[in-house]
Amino acid sequence: MEKTPSNIVIKFGGTSVATKEAVHAIIAIVKRYRKSNPVVVVSALRGVTEGLLGLSKCPKAQLPGRISALRAMHQKLASDLFPTDKDVAEVMAYVDEQLAATEKVARKGRFNPAAMDQLVSAGEIMSSFLIAKALETNDIASRQVVSTEIVATDDNFMQAEFQPKETEKNARRILAPLIRRGIVPVVTGFLGSTKKGQTTTLGRGGSDYSASIIGRSLDAKEIQIWTDVDGIFTADPRVVKNARIISDISYREASEMAAFGAKVLHPRTIRPAVEKNIPVRVLNTFNLKASGTLVSPRSTGTGLKAIAFKKNVVLVNVYSDSMLFSRGFLARMFEVFARHQISIDLVSVSEVSVSVTLDSNNGHLDAAVKELEAFSKVSVHKDSFGMISLIGEGIASAQDIMTNVSAQFSRHRIPLRMISMGASDINISLVIPAADVVRAANMVHDEFLRN
Ligand code: ADP
Ligand code: ASP
Ligand code: MG
């Protein structure tokens, strides 16, 4: 196979694909990186994924109204962007075609995970067409590429995992010739396809992951995630008011932040980049002067670097029927979780019980609980708890941090329900009442990360 020209991947999130100003920023960014052979990856327009998912929950009588609302969002952006009626009409003909297919899926009313992925896929398909067209009308040769043609996945619908070999082959076959001809591919984020050709998605926020999958497949020089904040902060800047930008962060730290709730990156984004040592940069579409955050293999010192949190986690307590664990109890229990595709964040074990936390919307919890009840007592807390994670290389060996943190929580009367320090020495996680998460995040940040 011919060598793929070296390139960079630039991904734009939903907020960057929302208004005329935002799309103009995208155009400027693509122009800036034109010499680096950019491959663009896009999310759906802001709010569109939510709107599409909502079609599965609304009464059928509301479908036409909801579809019109989705149409209007695209119509408004297209009319704001394109100078001629002809361009607007071309985009809207495409949008109408996609929405007609979507409405058909919604009318069937059978919303299994495969149908949900079919339903939600229209968002990225429409946005990529619109962005490719916007680049074209600004003298940048460009082509929409629907990633179901590229990203090969398993059939774990709504949370699919990509298959590296097949994906790499597809990416090179489809994207390399475009790049070589100076055409900027505009690839749908979020979507993949099974062997049988059924559309899958990579989980909410999955366009970040798409970007790194494409970057890995093409051996890109850099993967850029353009979003609506200046980069990765010491904590979510929308929640923690004194959060500061981090200029450099290691792969491990960024992965840990994403896995423990920092929405700025999809939890699996870093992994494909690590495999090929590709730097990931997080940048702000609305502030081209900011230099963003560089995520790379380089470690940048030890100790607390950032705080991530989840406002809500599911806490499951499993009590052994006999007073002490019989041999194999833990193995049996984790096997049940694994079989129901439930991934576990934290575990704490005492002599008679095991507590685990999970993300909400994760696997088939009800079915798993039913099976666990055959050999244990189980209690599930869905809305009561959240989690704060203190992240940084070498954090657990940092002297006194645990003592200081526990003292602080006790002083502020926030009860600690569970504590976990991983063996990898990069994360200390605390399970606390959901109602205290925001206060605790600000409190821990101000105490340990303010400057
Ligand atoms: P996009 O649509 O571009 O994918 P997201 O909403 O998925 O954007 O991610 C960006 C958001 O992530 C920010 O607006 C911010 O509120 C949130 N966020 C959470 N934690 C952090 C963090 N540590 N640093 C920066 N942003 C964060
Ligand atoms: N549009 C999808 C979502 O909202 C994927 C993404 O934006 O990354 O989850
Ligand atoms: Mg996102």
Side-chain angles (χ1 to χ4, degrees):
M1 201 187 300
E2 224 180 307
K3 203 173 166 304
T4 311
S6 82
N7 69 297
I8 63 167
V9 176
I10 45 187
K11 176 260 172 179
F12 297 98
T15 41
S16 309
V17 196
T19 59
K20 171 177 153 186
E21 290 71 28
V23 177
H24 280 153
I26 293 181
I27 294 165
I29 292 162
V30 173
K31 282 192 171 152
R32 189 207 271 188
Y33 289 101
R34 202 143 178 214
K35 289 212 176 79
S36 308
N37 296 322
V39 173
V40 173
V41 175
V42 289
S43 294
L45 268 58
R46 180 179 57 205
V48 165
T49 301
E50 282 308 322
L52 289 164
L53 291 170
L55 299 178
S56 70
K57 293 182 204 109
C58 74
K60 276 196 182 146
Q62 280 182 21
L63 280 177
R66 299 229 183 181
I67 294 278
S68 309
L70 288 164
R71 181 182 196 279
M73 291 163 78
H74 292 83
Q75 165 93 54
K76 162 103 177 66
L77 184 55
S79 336
D80 286 348
L81 271 177
F82 299 117
T84 72
D85 290 346
K86 185 170 153 282
D87 291 330
V88 177
E90 187 191 326
V91 169
M92 290 318 293
Y94 187 84
V95 166
D96 284 332
E97 206 179 291
Q98 296 305 321
L99 288 176
T102 302
E103 187 167 358
K104 220 161 154 189
V105 177
R107 285 222 169 268
K108 278 196 198 136
R110 279 190 301 272
F111 297 111
N112 57 29
M116 290 303 285
D117 280 351
Q118 189 67 46
L119 192 74
V120 80
S121 65
E124 271 71 11
I125 296 178
M126 296 186 288
S127 68
S128 55
F129 188 87
L130 191 146
I131 295 298
K133 180 83 189 159
L135 292 174
E136 280 282 336
T137 53
N138 283 275
D139 304 319
I140 303 169
S142 166
R143 173 89 47 83
Q144 178 201 33
V145 177
V146 178
S147 58
T148 50
E149 303 291 321
I150 295 179
V151 180
T153 73
D154 59 18
D155 60 4
N156 189 12
F157 293 98
M158 301 177 81
Q159 267 303 335
E161 187 52 273
F162 84 111
Q163 290 160 344
K165 279 210 182 98
E166 199 59 29
T167 302
E168 186 170 323
K169 219 167 62 195
N170 295 338
R172 287 174 187 259
R173 179 173 48 82
I174 294 172
L175 298 176
L178 295 174
I179 300 171
R180 218 174 285 120
R181 282 158 56 205
I183 297 170
V184 177
V186 179
V187 184
T188 57
F190 194 36
L191 313 179
S193 162
T194 67
K195 232 191 189 110
K196 289 186 190 151
Q198 283 180 288
T199 298
T200 52
T201 63
L202 306 172
R204 289 305 308 275
S207 298
D208 301 329
Y209 194 33
S210 307
S212 71
I213 291 170
I214 303 277
R216 179 198 179 283
S217 304
L218 297 176
D219 280 313
K221 280 197 302 248
E222 182 163 298
I223 297 159
Q224 300 184 343
I225 306 292
W226 290 83
T227 182
D228 61 350
V229 288
D230 278 351
I232 301 181
F233 283 69
T234 47
D236 186 342
R238 297 194 197 288
V239 176
V240 172
K241 65 175 189 313
N242 297 318
R244 289 177 289 111
I245 183 89
I246 302 174
S247 60
D248 290 271
I249 192 166
S250 72
Y251 279 149
R252 291 181 65 216
E253 288 165 334
S255 299
E256 206 71 14
M257 286 181 77
F260 285 84
K263 191 189 168 213
V264 63
L265 291 176
H266 178 278
R268 284 178 276 162
T269 309
I270 300 297
R271 213 185 308 150
V274 170
E275 288 168 17
K276 298 266 179 99
N277 253 308
I278 304 169
V280 176
R281 211 180 276 279
V282 181
L283 295 148
N284 190 348
T285 309
F286 305 95
N287 183 9
L288 300 188
K289 289 205 193 89
S291 49
T293 299
L294 178 66
V295 187
S296 72
R298 223 156 54 92
S299 168
T300 53
T302 59
L304 179 62
K305 183 152 300 163
I307 292 166
F309 53 84
K310 294 185 181 183
K311 288 187 180 162
N312 202 259
V313 297
V314 178
L315 178 70
V316 182
N317 298 314
V318 184
Y319 306 88
S320 164
D321 272 346
S322 58
M323 267 307 275
L324 293 171
F325 287 132
S326 53
R327 250 174 239 133
F329 178 84
L330 289 177
R332 207 168 155 196
M333 178 189 123
F334 286 119
E335 188 278 326
V336 173
F337 283 122
R339 201 159 18 79
H340 291 281
Q341 290 177 336
I342 293 165
S343 78
I344 292 169
D345 282 345
L346 302 186
V347 183
S348 123
V349 182
S350 80
E351 205 160 86
V352 291
S353 71
V354 184
S355 304
V356 301
T357 66
L358 345 154
D359 244 1
S360 23
N361 293 328
N362 172 350
H364 312 286
L365 184 58
D366 294 342
V369 167
K370 218 165 176 184
E371 274 191 47
L372 291 170
E373 280 171 343
F375 59 94
S376 57
K377 253 207 309 284
V378 184
S379 71
V380 178
H381 303 268
K382 280 199 170 140
D383 304 307
S384 319
F385 295 99
M387 177 166 71
I388 302 263
S389 301
L390 283 60
I391 292 163
E393 309 255 12
I395 188 163
S397 15
Q399 291 289 323
D400 301 334
I401 184 129
M402 259 332 289
T403 323
N404 293 340
V405 168
S406 340
Q408 204 199 13
F409 275 76
S410 142
R411 216 167 41 242
H412 287 86
R413 297 188 189 290
I414 301 177
L416 297 173
R417 173 67 182 71
M418 205 166 139
I419 300 179
S420 162
M421 261 155 102
S424 55
D425 199 8
I426 192 168
N427 176 330
I428 298 174
S429 288
L430 312 162
V431 176
I432 60 173
D436 292 325
V437 168
V438 169
R439 181 162 69 100
N442 276 282
M443 167 187 110
V444 174
H445 189 277
D446 283 355
E447 178 83 17
F448 300 105
L449 277 172
R450 183 113 193 214
N451 41 47

